[in-house]
Amino acid sequence: MRKTNTTLLTPVSNLSMTDRVENSLRQYFEDNKFKPGDPLPNEMDMATQLNVSRNVVREALSRLRMLGMVEARPRRGMVMAQPDLLAGIEKVLNPMILSKDNLKDIFEMRLILEMGVSEFLFARKTKAQVQELEEIVARQQNNEALTIEEEVAFHGKLYEMAGNDTFARFQNLLIPVFNHVFSERFRMHVEIPDPVTHHDLIEVLKNGTADDFRKAMYKHLSPYYHTSNISQVQAK
Amino acid sequence: MRKTNTTLLTPVSNLSMTDRVENSLRQYFEDNKFKPGDPLPNEMDMATQLNVSRNVVREALSRLRMLGMVEARPRRGMVMAQPDLLAGIEKVLNPMILSKDNLKDIFEMRLILEMGVSEFLFARKTKAQVQELEEIVARQQNNEALTIEEEVAFHGKLYEMAGNDTFARFQNLLIPVFNHVFSERFRMHVEIPDPVTHHDLIEVLKNGTADDFRKAMYKHLSPYYHTSNISQVQAK
DNA sequence: TATTTTTATTTGTAGGACAAATATAATAGC
DNA sequence: GCTATTATATTTGTCCTACAAATAAAAATA
């Protein structure tokens, strides 16, 4: 018998069946303390249990698979898996579809993270890594203005040195959006000379403290902070 | 005629058809510069275009709907939408299924963000907000140790004052995981007296600089930094 | 021209089918 | 009884058809 929408499952809310099944499944996994590797019920059982078609269950599971939360081993069943923290945001960081507000937020998030990581950077940096960083800068000494690739190489290395993979990956995801926002805002402007160069930063990294480094980084990033209407507001 | 897996679309990679259609669609939207509000082709056209069943297209679209990237208006077609930056990570922050590494990363990310936001906080805080913050603290003056809710109220207000919704929402998502990690690590420990209280922080917020505030915040968070094996490593 | 009626479109949901590979059970051989 | 082979069952991935319901578009009517 066809299940019309006149049953108890009538969408009283705006949510589709798929939305609700997705929520139900996550709740079910949490309530029953499913851990990575644990086998899950098969799709048909889920469907009958939740009183929906297998189609709806599969659409919900498709989402959870995308997040890395469940893993389907074809013809052997599904298991719980360790989700990929950034899988979702990674797919969505497209400057063309993000709102002005979101772009602003991302722009600032990069600055916030860059300023906040100093303690971890200093706690974990190794001599070998600092030397690798120096080699990256040495390769850049030739040119005048740095390309985006060179900026990414330098800052990316710093992220790596902080010893937090999620932080590093997150920052690397933000950078393209960051650059897009900056170039949009400065369409008509001339380029601002860098008050603190990458070479200067390395000196502080070698001989200074975490706090010294942050202050230097702030100056290095000051052109971007100015773009955020930060200094102006701060001044008044 | 049934499409067996002996066609050109044979999964030479590990990706399922749904995975590949999801990628194709995102690529298609990007290449054709789809912007929020733009109408999308209907499901059947997508399916025939990509040479897959409508089912597969719907499983891929289900993912993009979850991310807020596309919006389906039942019986009127689909439109591009502005994705929710944190929709993905929000569903995945379950301490029970996250790896030790991810939990560590999240724990540290909160500290990093808390330390990095000082400039924006000082640039945007208003007198009214500071007063609201004082009221929050006043309500807490009674007790000895602060509850998690009181901590969240105070720090959440600070996030709000920084004027970056994504940052604020992100931090609020991290906090429960942060607390979980901390309580796990300190199962056997006594509670560490807070060297810098919320009241102290407000004083710096009112009379100090962004940098003063960060230093005070560092001390306020020092019990957590110690947990990160930061100070030990830093000392050697 | 304005209003009503009919038709077409489109998503959401249900349900059936089957290929292919794996895991399990059953059978055969020794 | 034990091992090796064969048969069966299970399960995901994919395809297909169907249709309710609401909207938009077209046609018919006043």
Side-chain angles (χ1 to χ4, degrees), chain A residues 45 49 58 63 72 97 170 183:
Chain A
D45 285 355
Q49 193 78 23
R58 278 190 60 84
R63 300 173 175 185
I97 59 175
F170 193 57
S183 60

Side-chain angles (χ1 to χ4, degrees), chain B:
Chain B
M1 184 186 301
R2 180 164 303 281
K3 189 186 298 96
T4 70
N5 268 345
T6 57
T7 70
L8 282 176
L9 289 175
T10 300
V12 104
S13 57
N14 282 344
L15 301 179
S16 68
M17 286 291 188
T18 300
D19 291 330
R20 296 202 279 164
V21 168
E22 182 216 318
N23 292 336
S24 296
L25 289 180
R26 282 191 290 106
Q27 193 66 53
Y28 169 76
F29 297 153
E30 191 172 339
D31 292 347
N32 293 83
K33 303 191 200 315
F34 275 84
K35 285 185 279 294
D38 290 350
L40 304 182
N42 67 47
E43 295 172 349
M44 209 48 216
D45 285 354
M46 290 179 177
T48 49
Q49 192 78 23
L50 295 167
N51 205 26
V52 294
S53 74
R54 190 176 155 222
N55 253 340
V56 168
V57 170
R58 278 189 61 83
E59 287 187 17
L61 286 170
S62 178
R63 298 175 176 185
L64 303 186
R65 274 200 297 275
M66 183 188 65
L67 300 176
M69 202 171 183
V70 314
E71 197 177 308
R73 300 166 307 173
R75 297 147 207 111
R76 287 188 295 158
M78 294 178 288
V79 293
M80 206 70 191
Q82 276 174 354
D84 179 345
L85 279 176
L86 304 179
I89 204 170
E90 186 171 27
K91 310 201 171 190
V92 136
L93 286 180
N94 173 357
M96 289 309 155
I97 59 174
L98 291 179
S99 68
K100 290 278 172 201
D101 277 352
N102 275 167
L103 290 172
K104 182 215 74 153
D105 287 354
I106 290 170
F107 185 85
E108 296 176 2
M109 284 277 276
R110 192 216 150 174
L111 297 175
I112 292 171
L113 287 162
E114 203 94 30
M115 290 290 286
V117 80
S118 228
E119 276 71 25
F120 288 98
L121 180 59
F122 269 69
R124 293 176 178 158
K125 68 186 166 71
T126 67
K127 283 209 152 50
Q129 285 174 322
V130 174
Q131 185 156 1
E132 285 170 52
L133 197 63
E134 283 183 303
E135 284 161 17
I136 289 171
V137 171
R139 255 178 269 134
Q140 305 175 347
Q141 215 66 318
N142 322 330
N143 324 5
E144 287 273 306
L146 293 178
T147 66
I148 288 175
E149 288 74 23
E150 289 170 328
E151 284 283 352
V152 170
F154 179 80
H155 287 272
K157 186 71 190 176
L158 286 177
Y159 306 153
E160 180 193 323
M161 291 166 71
N164 184 317
D165 289 348
T166 305
F167 162 80
R169 196 171 145 218
F170 193 57
Q171 280 287 58
N172 282 316
L173 288 177
L174 298 189
I175 282 191
V177 182
F178 179 91
N179 286 333
H180 176 268
V181 172
F182 187 67
S183 60
E184 280 288 306
R185 289 183 183 177
F186 274 76
R187 226 193 264 278
M188 66 301 288
H189 283 237
V190 294
E191 54 192 58
I192 298 157
D194 196 348
V196 171
T197 67
H198 288 172
H199 183 268
D200 299 334
L201 284 171
I202 289 189
E203 278 309 305
V204 183
L205 191 63
K206 290 202 290 189
N207 304 317
T209 66
D211 211 59
D212 295 335
F213 186 80
R214 178 167 27 237
K215 286 197 179 76
M217 180 60 81
Y218 180 74
K219 285 182 189 152
H220 176 63
L221 297 173
S222 60
Y224 307 110
Y225 271 100
H226 288 321
T227 308
S228 303
N229 282 35
I230 276 291
S231 43
Q232 292 94 315
V233 180
Q234 200 168 7
K236 81 170 180 187

Side-chain angles (χ1 to χ4, degrees), chain A residues 217-228:
Chain A
M217 180 59 82
Y218 180 74
K219 286 183 189 152
H220 177 63
L221 297 174
S222 60
Y224 307 110
Y225 271 99
H226 289 320
T227 307
S228 303

